[in-house]
Amino acid sequence: MSATASTILSVVRFRPLRFLRAIVTLAAGLALSVAFAACSSSSASPETSPPVRIASQVVATVETDPVPHRGDAADDPAIWVNPTDPAKSTIIGTDKKGGLAVYDLAGKQIQYVADGPMNNVDLRRGFPLAGGKAAVVTALNRATDTIAIYRVDPQTRGLVDVAARRIELGISSYGSCMYRSPRSGKFYLFANSEKGEVEQWELFDDGRGKVDARRVRSFDVGTQTEGCVADDRLASFFIAEERRGIWVYDAEPGGGTSRTKVDSTDGLGHLRADVEGLTIAYGPNGTGYLFASSQGDSTYAVYRRGGAHEYLGSFQIVDGGEIDGTQHTDGIDVTSVGLGSAFPRGVLVLHDGRNDSGNQNFKLVPLESILQS
Ligand code: CA
Ligand code: CA
Ligand code: CA
Ligand code: CA
Ligand code: CA
């Protein structure tokens, strides 16, 4: 199937051949729909990914405009893949002192939503809303401990508030991420607190074209958490316990509290506290990669997505000719879908805690410069 050709790995293998590159870019576009459609078919048996080499030092090719607030203000990005024109996809970034910014793939800010101090942002396509399908974006408002909910307007590429009401968490808000169940097709938000408490909320159309939510599960991780990511096909939920490491839980609401350690900061693992953002690059049939921000040493660890989450290596984003490297990174997001000529095999987006040219911002790195064959 052509979608197979769009995997990160086969893409990298064909790099020197120009016409194949074009085919692969096309296939990546097709894979967009395939990838998301695959959410409904469970593929719980992880397969072995072909070998990949993790580059040790890479550079960003794009940086976004700085956020409007000074100090530790930017935090977490989410990528919206434009289904009709992937080159016109966007990055949604949090400014935890004021709201959410939307950037194009050249890094230019195209919208700023001053809705309050938003922490962690995430997005899921295909959400059933008002008789159609919408890309829904969530963030947590730390001033009100509420769930902010938007949809992406595909025409303007901007965010439109679709929260049905003021949805208050039962915990003090900190990190969050979204999940679409491969079993039920339902959409969820995981919210967590600085105490390591987690709440899972089901998101649904309220019947009037807005999105409402109900709490379906609560559990404790232990100590402070923030970064998290859910695997929409393997039904797993990864969360960073900042001082300790990464845990994986069952992402289903009935999944209980049993968990497995993925990696640790204890000197035996590959992370240096704080452990911050987590994100997943999907390949077909359960393959792909989990990325983690190891904030304490400004590196990023890469793991195999399924199975025992084998550690594959770590890398840094270093200074390039034009664009500075990344330090003290909080949130990250990745897609393995090709986004036009600038990011033909996908992109990794990273918060930069120390931008050389102003307030904090986000850096964009072509995925194939990290995952090398
Ligand atoms: Ca920070
Ligand atoms: Ca944190
Ligand atoms: Ca920097
Ligand atoms: Ca943070
Ligand atoms: Ca810069």
Side-chain angles (χ1 to χ4, degrees):
M1 164 170 220
S2 66
T4 307
S6 73
T7 71
I8 310 149
L9 302 172
S10 22
V11 166
V12 170
R13 204 176 300 139
F14 295 134
R15 178 162 44 185
L17 305 174
R18 229 169 195 233
F19 77 101
L20 274 175
R21 178 187 282 180
I23 290 169
V24 160
T25 305
L26 181 66
L30 292 171
L32 173 65
S33 49
V34 173
F36 286 96
C39 291
S40 56
S41 66
S42 178
S43 48
S45 56
E47 298 181 2
T48 306
S49 302
V52 67
R53 189 175 71 81
I54 307 300
S56 58
Q57 296 191 326
V58 297
V59 297
T61 56
V62 172
E63 65 180 327
T64 67
D65 290 336
V67 294
H69 290 91
R70 291 187 182 182
D72 193 25
D75 196 276
D76 188 39
I79 301 163
W80 174 64
V81 177
N82 186 327
T84 55
D85 187 353
K88 291 192 173 148
S89 298
T90 60
I91 309 300
I92 301 152
T94 59
D95 168 5
K96 59 191 176 190
K97 294 182 176 176
L100 295 168
V102 182
Y103 308 96
D104 65 19
L105 291 183
K108 186 180 174 323
Q109 181 182 300
I110 57 175
Q111 186 193 25
Y112 187 83
V113 182
D115 282 356
M118 300 292 176
N119 204 24
N120 295 190
V121 61
D122 206 358
L123 179 153
R124 287 293 185 276
R125 292 162 39 83
F127 189 98
L129 189 64
K133 299 278 176 155
V136 165
V137 173
T138 59
L140 298 185
N141 186 325
R142 298 204 65 201
T144 53
D145 293 326
T146 54
I147 306 172
I149 311 175
Y150 306 87
R151 69 175 175 84
V152 176
D153 179 334
Q155 302 306 318
T156 66
R157 301 187 286 169
L159 301 177
V160 178
D161 189 343
V162 290
R165 60 188 175 87
R166 181 187 161 99
I167 305 165
E168 276 187 56
L169 298 169
I171 55 176
S172 171
S173 66
Y174 198 46
S176 66
C177 56
M178 294 179 75
Y179 169 55
R180 181 185 185 174
S181 168
R183 294 173 197 156
S184 66
K186 290 179 178 175
F187 289 77
Y188 299 94
L189 171 85
F190 285 97
N192 65 72
S193 75
E194 288 176 291
K195 292 180 182 166
E197 304 151 307
V198 178
E199 289 187 342
Q200 183 173 2
W201 289 71
E202 184 186 335
L203 304 171
F204 55 92
D205 184 337
D206 74 344
R208 296 190 296 272
K210 300 285 178 113
V211 179
D212 206 340
R214 68 171 75 90
R215 186 172 45 233
V216 294
R217 179 191 189 188
S218 301
F219 58 94
D220 280 322
V221 174
T223 66
Q224 182 163 329
T225 52
E226 182 181 358
C228 59
V229 67
D231 189 315
D232 288 357
R233 283 171 249 165
L234 301 181
S236 45
F237 169 67
F238 298 85
I239 187 163
E241 189 175 11
E242 295 192 347
R243 306 298 302 176
R244 292 186 178 168
I246 304 167
W247 300 101
V248 58
Y249 292 78
D250 186 330
E252 290 294 301
T257 56
S258 70
R259 63 183 187 178
T260 305
K261 187 182 282 181
V262 175
D263 202 352
S264 69
T265 58
D266 60 8
L268 301 172
H270 310 91
L271 299 166
R272 187 83 58 86
D274 295 350
V275 188
E276 291 280 344
L278 303 175
T279 187
I280 292 171
Y282 288 89
N285 303 317
T287 62
Y289 304 93
L290 170 72
F291 291 76
S293 170
S294 173
Q295 192 180 55
D297 57 5
S298 295
T299 65
Y300 310 91
V302 186
Y303 308 87
R304 225 178 271 293
R305 178 182 150 220
H309 311 295
E310 175 197 355
Y311 170 77
L312 298 174
S314 295
F315 62 95
Q316 293 174 288
I317 310 296
V318 298
D319 289 348
E322 304 265 313
I323 299 172
D324 56 305
T326 55
Q327 297 81 26
H328 313 302
T329 296
D330 287 316
I332 55 177
D333 197 16
V334 70
T335 180
S336 52
V337 174
L339 302 182
S341 57
F343 302 102
R345 297 159 199 103
V347 64
L348 176 69
V349 184
L350 313 96
H351 160 251
D352 182 14
R354 197 172 70 220
N355 177 26
D356 66 352
S357 49
N359 292 339
Q360 292 186 348
N361 68 354
F362 300 93
K363 265 54 177 185
L364 282 67
V365 179
L367 194 53
E368 73 273 16
S369 65
I370 300 165
L371 305 175
Q372 304 182 337
S373 58

